[in-house]
């Protein structure tokens, strides 16, 4: 069994707080629906799939309500493939596409105060500014902590309270105009 020291935990908390506060603008917790992208990947805009087009490994495209990641570089076929919506893959000429899930949509942002929080011992407590409301409806599936310049600090899944997810929420059903609330953040799992 291994366990980090209190000093290491305190240093990680301080480093996390410094990353969140790295910009003059406050950081925030973004709550998203849809499939979680690769760590830190920009997902706006994701272009629609095009036939007869060169793609590089890691490129994202949309088709229908899902998005897909190129598992290798190549050129798409002259006809559109039948896209899986079950997390599977499809071959498109010499490209293999991985179903990443539904196209992500930003449900809302919980803005932090600045500084974003405090550290007591080795526990980091983040403080939300005001009462955030959802900008659109959907099911919360993943989230990102970003600094004020949208620099990624942390990314992970959303789940209900007690699930052990990165962001634990009372309900994952987010309603546009309703209060957006995270109960717990589990940064180091």
């Amino acid at each position: 069994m291994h366990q980090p020291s209190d000093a290491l935990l305190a240093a990680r908390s301080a480093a996390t707080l410094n990353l969140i506060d790295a910009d003059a603008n406050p950081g925030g917790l973004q709550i998203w629906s849809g499939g979680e992208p690769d760590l830190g990947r920009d997902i706006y805009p994701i272009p629609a799939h095009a036939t007869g087009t060169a793609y590089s490994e890691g490129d994202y495209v949309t088709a229908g309500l899902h998005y897909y990641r190129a598992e290798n570089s190549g050129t798409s076929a002259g006809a559109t493939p039948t896209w899986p919506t079950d997390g599977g893959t499809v071959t498109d000429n010499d490209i293999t596409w991985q179903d990443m899930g539904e196209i992500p949509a930003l449900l809302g942002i919980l803005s932090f105060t600045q500084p974003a929080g405090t550290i007591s011992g080795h526990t980091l407590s983040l403080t939300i500014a005001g009462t955030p409301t959802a900008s659109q409806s959907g099911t919360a599936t993943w989230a990102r902590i970003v600094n004020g310049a949208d620099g990624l600090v942390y990314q992970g899944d959303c789940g209900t309270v007690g699930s052990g997810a990165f962001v634990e929420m009372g309900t994952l059903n987010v309603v546009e105009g309703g209060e957006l609330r995270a109960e717990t953040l589990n940064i180091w799992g």
Side-chain angles (χ1 to χ4, degrees):
M1 183 168 141
H2 56 88
Q3 199 168 356
S5 69
D6 285 343
L8 177 58
L9 292 172
R12 289 194 319 189
S13 292
T16 301
L17 186 57
N18 287 337
L19 284 172
I20 295 169
D21 288 335
D23 190 70
N25 297 311
L29 175 65
Q30 301 173 342
I31 305 293
W32 294 81
S33 68
E36 183 178 346
D38 299 313
L39 181 64
R41 281 290 304 272
D42 186 17
I43 51 176
Y44 278 118
I46 302 175
H49 174 267
T51 58
T53 301
Y55 289 102
S56 297
E57 181 179 346
D59 283 350
Y60 289 152
V61 298
T62 62
L65 299 176
H66 282 234
Y67 77 114
Y68 302 83
R69 179 185 60 222
E71 297 298 292
N72 57 284
S73 298
T75 302
S76 59
T80 302
T82 301
W83 296 101
T85 57
D86 62 357
T89 61
V90 64
T91 301
D92 176 21
N93 193 26
D94 56 355
I95 303 172
T96 299
W97 294 102
Q98 172 69 52
D99 176 23
M100 298 294 289
E102 291 185 14
I103 299 168
L106 181 61
L107 301 178
I109 301 172
L110 291 86
S111 294
F112 297 127
T113 58
Q114 198 164 26
T118 58
I119 299 170
S120 176
H122 59 73
T123 302
L124 170 60
S125 297
L126 298 171
T127 307
I128 303 299
T131 304
T133 58
S135 55
Q136 62 180 304
S137 297
T139 302
T141 54
W142 63 281
R144 282 181 173 165
I145 294 177
V146 295
N147 66 25
D150 277 339
L152 178 67
V153 175
Y154 204 92
Q155 176 178 307
D157 60 341
C158 291
T160 56
V161 174
S163 67
F166 162 50
V167 176
E168 293 183 357
M169 302 170 70
T171 178
L172 300 178
N173 298 317
V174 175
V175 177
E176 182 178 353
E179 184 178 358
L180 190 59
R181 184 179 173 129
E183 300 294 334
T184 306
L185 296 178
N186 297 303
I187 295 181
W188 297 297

